[in-house]
């Protein structure tokens, strides 16, 4: 196994004029929380947590929040497999979807990145149980350089998963939004880089030592061909969501999407995001829908950081739209986000793992296909889904 030293140089990057509109400051000019600054967030801007709970209770009482049946879900899944060495393929980007928003990306440079890792059966004591098994565990990952966290919600940031990743890969570096580094530091994890929207970072990994255990020829070969140096470019970019590790921490840390480029291949990881707010009484693609405000930041991402070789874009956890549209993209939203961000190809994530909302658990890929047909993209194969644990090359 090869060790690498890790150096990070972060700085503000090219940004639109309103790049700090998400900073909410008090009367003394102190940053106290973050917010979604555009009309696309809609009615949730003025809804408090107690009122949101009342709306949830009303919807439940009215039967508008059915619990989806997972007993016959039959989501395609396979045991994840990874490249035996960092330079097994010097041209392709290899992505393995591990369920929900968790993705493992193997860049042609040798860089290995993990996004929003949660390996547990339940992500909290109150969460539903996985209805598809985890595709792997942290001990199965052959190499890991960096972990990117989109936000602090429990289904995207798991303390047991993070601690196990650090145990297995002690040199791993975490990249998080503003305000979230303290959570890691309180848990004894200090290899954390905290970034704001539109910040860039240049990362250098330099090989320091190789330790080959036993006489395994595959291990010897991997250590021999691991690159001397790996260069990575990272951008912390907007999304439309929120944060709340506990009720007293609402929006105290920043949610984000991430762009990562290494070995001439780029990935944009959307994490968890909405696109437009759909009020009660408006149906998707129905009268008035196309006039709803869209989040302009996705077009800004495409213009200022794109194009990207691959987008990892959420397509699940979207019903009912009045409740979830400000923070969760529907498959139709996902296709527009794909177009706005100038991704050359995309995989649908954030579905098929936990039943978090009311749509049937098998529905997101079906709705994605319908959305692609509406946009004239159905036959292109540019935006696809895969089995949990499956790897795709781009």
């Amino acid at each position: 196994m090869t060790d690498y030293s890790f150096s990070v140089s972060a700085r503000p990057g090219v940004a639109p004029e309103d790049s700090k509109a998400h900073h909410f400051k008090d009367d003394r000019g102190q940053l106290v929380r973050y917010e979604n600054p555009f009309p696309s967030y809609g009615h949730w801007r003025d809804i408090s947590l107690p009122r949101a709970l009342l709306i949830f209770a009303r919807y439940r009482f009215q039967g508008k929040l059915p619990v989806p049946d997972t007993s016959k879900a039959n989501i395609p899944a396979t045991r994840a497999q990874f490249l035996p060495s960092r330079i097994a393929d010097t041209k392709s980007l290899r992505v393995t979807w591990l369920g929900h928003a968790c993705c493992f990306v193997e860049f042609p440079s040798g860089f290995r990145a993990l996004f929003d890792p949660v390996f547990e059966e339940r992500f909290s004591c109150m969460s539903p149980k996985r209805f598809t098994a985890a595709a792997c565990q942290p001990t199965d990952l052959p190499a890991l350089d960096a972990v990117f966290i989109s936000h602090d919600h429990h289904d995207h940031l798991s303390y047991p998963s993070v601690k196990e990743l650090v145990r297995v890969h002690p040199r791993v570096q975490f990249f998080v939004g503003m305000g979230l580094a303290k959570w890691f530091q309180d848990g004894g994890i200090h290899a954390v880089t905290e970034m704001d929207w539109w910040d860039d970072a240049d990362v250098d990994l330099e090989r320091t030592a190789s330790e080959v255990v036993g006489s395994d020829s595959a291990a010897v070969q991997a250590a021999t061909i691991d690159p001397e140096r790996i260069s990575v470019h990272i951008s912390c970019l907007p999304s439309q969501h929120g944060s709340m590790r506990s009720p007293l921490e609402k929006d105290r840390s920043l949610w984000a999407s991430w762009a990562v480029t290494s070995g001439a291949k780029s990935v944009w990881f959307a994490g968890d995001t909405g696109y437009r707010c759909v009020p009660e009484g408006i149906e998707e693609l129905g009268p008035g829908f196309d006039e709803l405000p869209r989040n302009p930041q996705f077009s800004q991402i495409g213009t200022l950081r794109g194009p990207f070789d691959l987008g990892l874009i959420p397509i699940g956890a979207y019903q009912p739209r009045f409740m979830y549209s400000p923070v969760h993209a529907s498959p139709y939203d996902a296709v527009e986000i794909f177009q706005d961000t100038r991704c050359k190809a995309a995989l649908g994530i954030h579905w098929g793992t936990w039943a978090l909302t009311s749509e049937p658990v098998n529905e997101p890929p079906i709705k994605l296909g319908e959305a692609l047909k509406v946009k004239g993209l159905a036959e292109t194969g540019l935006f696809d889904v895969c089995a949990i644990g499956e790897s795709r090359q781009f």
Side-chain angles (χ1 to χ4, degrees), residues 331-332 335 338 365 367-384:
Y332 189 84
V335 174
F338 164 69
K367 291 294 185 182
L368 176 63
E370 294 172 358
L372 290 167
K373 186 175 182 180
V374 169
K375 290 292 186 178
L377 300 172
E379 306 303 321
T380 64
L382 296 178
F383 196 156
D384 203 358

Side-chain angles (χ1 to χ4, degrees), residues 6-29:
F6 209 108
S7 65
V8 183
S9 176
R11 64 191 184 283
V14 177
E17 291 184 3
D18 56 355
S19 62
K20 301 302 180 186
H22 58 293
H23 288 199
F24 186 88
K25 298 181 179 181
D26 62 18
D27 295 337
R28 297 174 296 172

Side-chain angles (χ1 to χ4, degrees), residues 298-321:
F298 297 103
S299 290
Q300 294 170 347
I301 289 170
T303 300
L304 297 177
R305 296 295 189 279
F308 305 102
D309 292 297
L310 179 68
L312 300 170
I313 303 176
I315 64 169
Y318 51 83
Q319 287 287 14
R321 297 307 287 142

